Every structure is written in structure tokens, then in C-alpha cells.
Amino acid sequence: NAGVMQNPRHLVRRRGQEARLRCSPVKGHSHVYWYRQLPEEGLKFMVYLQKENIIDESGMPKERFSAEFPKEGPSILRIQQVVRGDSAAYFCASSPPGTEEQFFGPGTRLTVL
Amino acid sequence: GENVEQHPSTLSVQEGDSAVIKCTYSDSASNYFPWYKQELGKRPQLIIDIRSNVGEKKDQRIAVTLNKTAKHFSLHITETQPEDSAVYFCAASISGYSTLTFGKGTMLLVSP
């Protein structure tokens, strides 16, 4: 689980700017999940991706948010025109095919001023 | 969709005591139930999980029980230590469709 990498670890944006969060899964893991954690709350599912495919985006707001997991490179969660309510910790998790176990990255803490 | 309720939200125990955290779920199709430990400012870490084909699983001081009929599962920590202090999250998912639905967490404080 130490293999899931996220960057940046902290990100500060002003309202209206774009936030781009990156996640590199454990080598060999083809499934990536993004979760959002508000202060003193649990983790809320946002989106589930496999290489080049979005499997489930039911937890992701339809406006301003998008995610991708290209054939090469990290998974990206993009938030356009950020608002203060987007301030949260965003965690990425990965799992190998055929298992349910998800291993989390260290998270990106987004602060919107 | 799935809904997971977790209790209590906070739990204070003395070192050496046992701690029990309980969760209920709503979707009878759920069959995978992991528990995560999250220390302040750190990533959630998987500590134990259970699948619906077993009723209990143990790993040293940690055990998890599952009652599929009642749709609840519990985490048991025995001989608690100060380093067990953290927020614990339960979750549920349907095997083969791995999206996890989390409870809101239990803050466990173990006092020396």
C-alpha cells in the first residue's frame, strides 16, 4: 500500500482556478478509485476507473469535475473553477484486478481560498 | 445504493481494555467488509477484512465478526494500546464491483 503515490500533497487554489490532482497506483494495479474526505467525515466515493475507461462516476459532481486514467501515466482528477466547498482531502486508491482490496495513497489536501 | 452506519462516533478506553465498533449495512448483496485505520493526517490503512462466506476472522489483537442475517459487522480490539488511537472506518462493497461505501468513522482514544 505504500506504493500508491499522490501529488501534490497540499494544493492551494483561489476560487475560480483549476485544481489538478495526480495519482500513480501500485505497479500492476489496473483499478483506480477517487474518494473525497471532508473534515471529520468519512470517505465518499467519487469515481472508479480502469485504464482508459471510466467504470463508475456516480459519486462525482457532473459539473466542474472530471477524471481520467490514461494508458500511460497517472490518473488525474481535475476540478475546474474551484469553490470553497471543494476544500477537502482527496484520496486515491488502487487495487489489482480480481480482488476487492483497495490500498490508499497519502491524499492531496486541497484548500480553496 | 448501499448505506453504512457506524457506531459509536467516539470511543474512549483505558489501555488494556477491549474496544468494539459496530456497523450496519443496507444492501444484502454486499459481501466484502474491510476495516481501515486512519491516523491524523495519514492515509487510511487496511487492517482487516471479512467476506460473507465466513462469520469471524481474527488477526492477533483484532477480530471482525459478521452477521449477514442482521446485516451488521463489528471490529473487536483486545488489549488496547495507546498506538491503537486513531479513526477507524468500516466499509462495504459487492464483490466484483469494488466501490466501497464507508461509515462515518469512530475516533478511538486509548488512554495510558
Side-chain angles (χ1 to χ4, degrees):
Chain A
N1 61 352
V4 179
M5 305 294 289
Q6 288 187 250
N7 66 82
R9 295 292 308 278
H10 300 273
L11 182 61
V12 179
R13 285 286 178 266
R14 296 190 181 279
R15 281 178 295 170
Q17 292 184 318
E18 178 179 288
R20 189 172 294 203
L21 289 61
R22 286 176 289 277
C23 168
S24 296
V26 174
K27 189 175 182 180
H29 287 194
S30 56
H31 299 201
V32 165
Y33 312 82
W34 286 93
Y35 294 87
R36 177 163 62 178
Q37 186 175 38
L38 294 169
E40 298 184 8
E41 290 197 12
L43 296 115
K44 298 287 189 185
F45 165 74
M46 298 183 71
V47 61
Y48 165 30
L49 310 103
Q50 295 178 18
K51 286 284 188 182
E52 301 183 278
N53 283 302
I54 296 175
I55 307 302
D56 182 354
E57 57 183 347
S58 59
M60 195 161 66
K62 290 186 174 17
E63 296 182 356
R64 303 188 299 109
F65 286 73
S66 62
E68 62 177 7
F69 187 18
K71 187 176 180 181
E72 300 292 337
S75 175
I76 305 288
L77 178 68
R78 184 182 297 120
I79 311 173
Q80 296 177 303
Q81 300 175 326
V82 296
V83 301
R84 288 216 174 108
D86 296 332
S87 295
Y90 292 82
F91 288 93
C92 163
S94 73
S95 67
T99 79
E100 300 95 344
E101 296 169 350
Q102 295 185 22
F103 300 95
F104 282 78
T108 293
R109 281 153 184 81
L110 172 66
T111 301
V112 179
L113 302 177
Chain B
E2 175 66 279
N3 182 51
V4 177
E5 299 284 342
Q6 183 172 348
H7 300 280
S9 57
T10 59
L11 179 59
S12 293
V13 300
Q14 292 291 121
E15 183 177 1
D17 288 350
S18 295
V20 180
I21 303 170
K22 299 181 180 181
C23 290
T24 60
Y25 61 99
S26 60
D27 191 339
S28 57
S30 290
N31 55 8
Y32 175 64
F33 307 94
W35 287 87
Y36 286 84
K37 174 183 180 182
Q38 187 179 31
E39 297 176 2
L40 188 62
K42 301 286 183 64
R43 74 184 76 193
Q45 291 196 303
L46 178 67
I47 55 171
I48 196 168
D49 58 18
I50 192 168
R51 291 172 173 79
S52 59
N53 56 341
V54 298
E56 183 173 358
K57 184 177 179 180
K58 192 172 182 180
D59 183 3
Q60 299 183 344
R61 297 186 296 110
I62 294 173
V64 58
T65 58
L66 171 65
N67 183 329
K68 282 220 67 167
T69 303
K71 291 191 283 190
H72 67 70
F73 56 112
S74 301
L75 178 71
H76 305 252
I77 307 174
T78 58
E79 299 172 27
T80 53
Q81 301 167 3
E83 50 265 40
D84 293 330
S85 297
V87 178
Y88 291 80
F89 292 97
C90 63
S93 76
I94 300 170
S95 183
Y97 185 76
S98 303
T99 301
L100 292 172
T101 301
F102 283 86
K104 290 193 173 182
T106 296
M107 180 177 291
L108 174 64
L109 177 62
V110 182
S111 302

